[in-house]
Amino acid sequence: MDSNAISAWWNEESSLECNASAENFKKAVQVWFAKPHVVNRRVCGAKTQFEEDYHVPVEVKNIVRNRILDCTLAYPLVDDVLLQDLFRDQRKLVMCDSGTDTFTTTSNDIHVAVRDMLPRQSVKYPVVREMVIYDKKLHCATFIPLFLWNIGSQQKAAATDCPYQLAWSVNKSRISLNVWTNQTTDEPSQILSKEWLRDQLLPKIVQWAQEPQPGLVTTSLQLVPIDRYNQLYQELKAKYGQEMVKVWPEKTDPQKFVYEDVAIATYLLLLWEDDRQKNDTETRQSFVDLGCGNGLLVYILCSEGHPGLGIDVRKRKIWDLYGGNTKLKEAPITPSDSTLFPEYDWLIGNHSDELTPWIPVMAARSSFHTKYFVLPCCLWDFDSKFSKKDSGKSQYRSYLDYIKAVGGVCGFNVEEDVLRIPSTKRICFIGRSRNYNSKDATTVDNQRTDYISARCKAKQKQNDITSEIQPESHTEHTVFSSCDKEKRLKLNNGDSCRTHRHTIAGAVPMNGGNFEQPECLVDGLSSSWAADFQPREKLEKIRNCTQVDKMIQQHIIMTVFETVLKAENPVIRTTKDGKTWKRGGSLKLPDVAALFDKATLQQLKSECGGLQTLLRNSHNIFQVSGGQVQLRDWTLEDPMSSYRKMSKQKSDKDRFYKTKLCWFYGNHPDGCPRSSDTCLYAHGSTDLRQVQLQDGSNI
């Protein structure tokens, strides 16, 4: 949109250079229309109120005026002057049948849509309804707030409350922000709106437009209504989240794990609510959470009326706080015919590690009606770590494709969605319908068996050895015996104990009781589905490189230290007493790894985290950030601030002051850059003191 196309009523607030095409600009606007929460953290999403397709020319102004009258039930923010200005050339609206693509239009047309901007905190902010008019000829998108819901409460708006335009100019290669001026502009809310549009939205639109493939912002929560999700999440957060954070007895971060499980519970509850509506039933779904960990998800779902069970190899401290309505069992889980759950509706795998690829299999073999939800995290195959990486994809995306493929092989129509949780692993898969009829259960189960056998590397090797040495015993090593298979297939053909569902679920003992197999699982159904599958060990190993041999640790630390000290472009500091202290240069992590042989690196890797973890453990010596390794700069006033920010640890100087020897004092050629009085560590054994406990006593 060129400057001569802007009327006197619009003021160009700002413009930024943008090397992008008109098509990319349109896609960037489309991202902002569909996913405003990506930029505006006050909103949780947008809900489109209407999109109409027209096949005959009609007058644009009348269409917009009628829509405004339909949508504006209270506090209209649009005046007739704005409508006259927008359509002063009386061009016609010609809409095409664009399906779900909001801005796919014919040449010479204008697109009109209305969205509701949904606030994250509905108590604090009202919903803002907004009309969007996209002019393809002028490459201009106009956003007009129609009204604010609950405006009588004098709430602040979660979105802008003044009309504005985003316009692309082919002549200037710029994107401009224009703001409507025929209103009172000295209102504090409008001043803040303009500042936010200029400083936050406009740069984001430019960024998206210049991307090779704009519009690929991940869409989350596609299978549940965003407005209901936000409402229910806020309710569950207030109901469970705050109290759980206060009493959290585990070592893990409650701010992450508590609210992550609240979000997952919200998602599942809405998913199940949708299923009940489709099936015209009020019976709440039952579930088993396999690898339930802290059990919080089980606790929330049970508290919301869903009968369920959580199983994990290791009991957590917090289990005892949940009460009798939350049924949790400490037991290892090995995928086999003895770990089927036909009396439950859903199997859940929330960061279930080695069980992740097995959950679709277990759901498929439990009964024809069993469904599943899985949120993959660590990369596991059926009997080993997952190591494949497809060309052009990350290993994580390759693993996700694999887990989705497993669900398809197991006979599910697999749905993929993205959760809103405080984690980088947010993609989940849902299997709630089958792609085959129950009469074909035998054929499909044979396909599952063949697929699992092909994936199990150890199984293939074992078959090769067995076929050469002892071919007659081959049947002993199949994935499951024919007898067990026949009994299990009855479950998939409908001959199961599903008539006993909920009563059996309620009979499973909680926490410390003896676990009883469901009545329908008789003796003999116990063959393992993968001979080399290893369930998680009950005792959690310490795997943060602290168990690595001390001599190896010292060798690695000294090698890295000496190399960093001799690196190019060394930094020389001046201490407070006027002496020079050499900090050295910076090394990339791959270059640091190249200093050591494969055996050493493999030993570190087996300790979870590898070389980087070991260096970060020595945070008093090294600073590791952005893939670079440097020496910690103790000439700074607070050299540990970046470490505490990364590890979310609070400073506890008083307790640990002078309780360890200063590494630089004993190993750096220039010694410690601090004096004994200002260094947190002891300069020699005579400077050491004991650790002070919380109660003031020493150890």
Side-chain angles (χ1 to χ4, degrees), residues 560-677:
V560 176
F561 166 71
E562 292 172 354
T563 307
V564 170
L565 205 61
K566 298 175 183 177
E568 296 180 354
N569 303 316
V571 176
I572 307 297
R573 298 295 193 196
T574 301
T575 64
K576 289 185 177 181
D577 57 4
K579 297 179 181 179
T580 58
W581 187 79
K582 186 177 181 181
R583 189 189 181 194
S586 176
L587 292 179
K588 295 181 180 179
L589 277 170
D591 295 334
V592 175
L595 299 172
F596 306 100
D597 56 51
K598 291 183 179 180
T600 301
L601 295 175
Q602 187 60 41
Q603 181 177 354
L604 293 177
K605 190 174 182 180
S606 67
E607 287 290 330
C608 187
L611 179 62
Q612 184 172 204
T613 299
L614 177 61
L615 296 177
R616 280 182 169 162
N617 287 346
S618 304
H619 50 80
N620 60 315
I621 306 172
F622 300 107
Q623 179 178 329
V624 184
S625 61
Q628 300 283 334
V629 180
Q630 299 172 288
L631 296 185
R632 180 74 59 183
D633 190 354
W634 284 95
T635 63
L636 301 176
E637 190 69 27
D638 187 6
M640 302 295 288
S641 59
S642 61
Y643 167 75
R644 285 194 299 273
K645 183 178 180 180
M646 180 183 67
S647 62
K648 299 180 181 179
Q649 293 187 3
K650 295 182 178 179
S651 176
D652 205 358
K653 296 179 182 179
D654 293 339
R655 284 186 62 206
F656 296 99
Y657 180 71
K658 300 288 188 181
T659 59
K660 292 183 179 180
L661 290 173
C662 176
W663 194 91
F664 287 112
Y665 179 79
N667 295 278
H668 196 290
D670 298 331
C672 178
R674 293 190 170 198
S675 65
S676 177
D677 294 337

Side-chain angles (χ1 to χ4, degrees), residues 361-429:
V361 182
M362 297 168 74
R365 288 177 170 173
S366 287
S367 81
F368 186 73
H369 303 283
T370 306
K371 306 170 184 180
Y372 77 88
F373 165 92
V374 66
L375 178 62
C377 181
C378 299
L379 282 55
W380 282 93
D381 210 326
F382 287 115
D383 66 347
S384 61
K385 285 280 191 177
F386 180 86
S387 57
K388 181 181 178 182
K389 183 178 182 299
D390 297 328
S391 177
K393 298 180 181 179
S394 66
Q395 190 175 26
Y396 175 56
R397 183 65 250 184
S398 299
Y399 183 65
L400 292 175
D401 292 343
Y402 162 59
I403 295 300
K404 189 173 185 178
V406 171
V409 171
C410 288
F412 289 96
N413 296 309
V414 183
E415 300 171 274
E416 179 176 337
D417 206 351
V418 181
L419 303 182
R420 290 189 183 178
I421 57 177
S423 172
T424 55
K425 308 295 176 61
R426 302 186 296 133
I427 298 176
C428 67
F429 296 104

Side-chain angles (χ1 to χ4, degrees), residues 316 477 535:
R316 307 302 200 272
H477 300 287

Side-chain angles (χ1 to χ4, degrees), residues 433-454:
S433 65
R434 304 294 176 101
N435 55 25
Y436 65 96
N437 296 320
S438 59
K439 64 181 180 180
D440 299 321
T442 302
T443 301
V444 175
D445 199 60
N446 287 335
Q447 294 173 356
R448 295 181 197 124
T449 302
D450 293 341
Y451 184 78
I452 295 170
S453 298

Side-chain angles (χ1 to χ4, degrees), residues 70-90:
D70 290 342
C71 295
T72 308
L73 305 179
Y75 194 70
L77 301 178
V78 182
D79 55 31
D80 194 61
V81 177
L82 187 147
L83 291 182
Q84 294 286 358
D85 181 80
L86 282 175
F87 310 114
R88 58 190 179 279
D89 58 357
Q90 295 294 303

